[in-house]
Amino acid sequence: MCSICASIDFTNAPNNSLNEQMSLTMRHRGPDASGNFSSGAVSFSHNRLSVIDIENGAQPMSAVYKKNNYTIIYNGEIYNADELRCELLKYDVGFKTSCDTEVVLYSYIIYGNECAKHLNGIFSFVIYDESKNCVFMARDRFGVKPLFYAFSGNCMLVASEIKA
């Protein structure tokens, strides 16, 4: 079990200290590692429980594809990750890890807003697409991996637990 949280401020730079405070409330969900990312109006934090590819699976995870930058925070397990990985290799994707996190990220990069239709598993994730200056969020159809969000003024807050 991991935790994710994000703040997206539509008018200012994100409040990184707020995002870090949100992340600390969920530290129990990912005691092995934590990471932060900030760019433009977006701030991401992740607490990791290391299960797959312990050495290379740090998050937030970023990728560059066709000169565009993408960053993901993810919690979950994709049951068809191996099949998707093989399918995505047809698009000249250069995988650097054996994590399903990277499979989810490249699924978004290749399939866009339709990516969740290709995922079989339990998941919640947030992706920052720098080229489009947009954030994409999804969770599994049954909500096994929750994804809560709220608006506070011009800021959208996202987290794995409502208390964050």
Coordinates of all heavy atoms in Angstrom, one line a residue, residues 18 28 34 50 57 61 66 74 91 107 115 124 160:
L18 N 2.5 22.6 1.8 CA 1.1 22.1 2.1 C 1.1 20.6 1.6 O 0.6 19.7 2.2 CB 0.0 22.9 1.4 CG -1.3 22.2 1.3 CD1 -1.9 22.1 2.7 CD2 -2.3 23.1 0.5
H28 N 2.3 6.3 7.0 CA 2.1 4.9 7.4 C 1.8 4.0 6.2 O 2.0 2.8 6.3 CB 1.0 4.8 8.5 CG -0.3 5.3 8.0 ND1 -0.7 6.6 7.9 CD2 -1.4 4.6 7.5 CE1 -1.9 6.7 7.4 NE2 -2.4 5.5 7.1
S34 N 9.9 8.0 0.2 CA 9.0 9.1 -0.1 C 9.7 10.0 -1.2 O 10.9 10.0 -1.3 CB 8.6 9.9 1.1 OG 9.7 10.5 1.7
S50 N 7.7 -0.5 -0.9 CA 8.4 -1.2 -2.0 C 8.0 -2.6 -2.1 O 8.2 -3.4 -1.2 CB 9.9 -1.0 -1.7 OG 10.3 0.3 -1.7
G57 N 12.0 1.7 -8.5 CA 10.6 2.1 -8.6 C 10.2 3.4 -7.9 O 9.1 3.6 -7.5
M61 N 7.5 9.4 -10.6 CA 8.3 8.8 -11.7 C 8.0 9.7 -12.9 O 6.9 10.0 -13.3 CB 7.9 7.4 -12.0 CG 8.7 6.7 -13.1 SD 8.2 5.0 -13.4 CE 8.9 4.2 -12.0
K66 N 9.1 11.3 -27.0 CA 9.1 12.3 -28.2 C 9.2 13.7 -27.7 O 8.4 14.6 -28.1 CB 7.8 12.0 -29.0 CG 7.8 10.7 -29.6 CD 6.6 10.5 -30.6 CE 6.7 9.1 -31.2 NZ 5.6 8.9 -32.1
Y74 N 1.4 7.1 -8.3 CA 0.6 5.9 -8.5 C 0.5 5.0 -7.3 O 1.5 4.9 -6.6 CB 1.2 5.2 -9.7 CG 0.8 3.7 -9.9 CD1 -0.4 3.3 -10.4 CD2 1.7 2.7 -9.5 CE1 -0.8 2.0 -10.5 CE2 1.3 1.4 -9.6 CZ 0.1 1.0 -10.1 OH -0.2 -0.3 -10.3
Y91 N 5.5 0.8 -29.7 CA 5.5 2.2 -29.9 C 6.9 2.8 -29.5 O 7.0 4.0 -29.3 CB 4.4 2.9 -29.0 CG 3.0 2.5 -29.4 CD1 2.4 1.4 -28.8 CD2 2.3 3.2 -30.4 CE1 1.1 1.0 -29.1 CE2 1.1 2.9 -30.7 CZ 0.5 1.8 -30.1 OH -0.8 1.4 -30.5
S107 N 1.2 3.9 -20.6 CA -0.2 3.7 -21.1 C -0.9 5.0 -21.3 O -1.6 5.2 -22.3 CB -1.0 2.8 -20.1 OG -0.5 1.5 -20.1
C115 N -6.5 5.5 -21.4 CA -5.5 4.6 -20.8 C -6.1 3.7 -19.8 O -5.8 2.5 -19.7 CB -4.3 5.3 -20.2 SG -4.7 6.4 -18.8
S124 N -5.0 3.9 -8.4 CA -5.3 5.3 -8.5 C -4.0 6.0 -8.9 O -2.9 5.6 -8.4 CB -5.9 5.8 -7.2 OG -4.9 5.7 -6.1
S160 N -4.8 10.0 -1.3 CA -5.3 8.6 -1.1 C -6.2 8.5 0.1 O -7.0 7.6 0.1 CB -4.1 7.7 -0.9 OG -3.2 7.7 -2.0

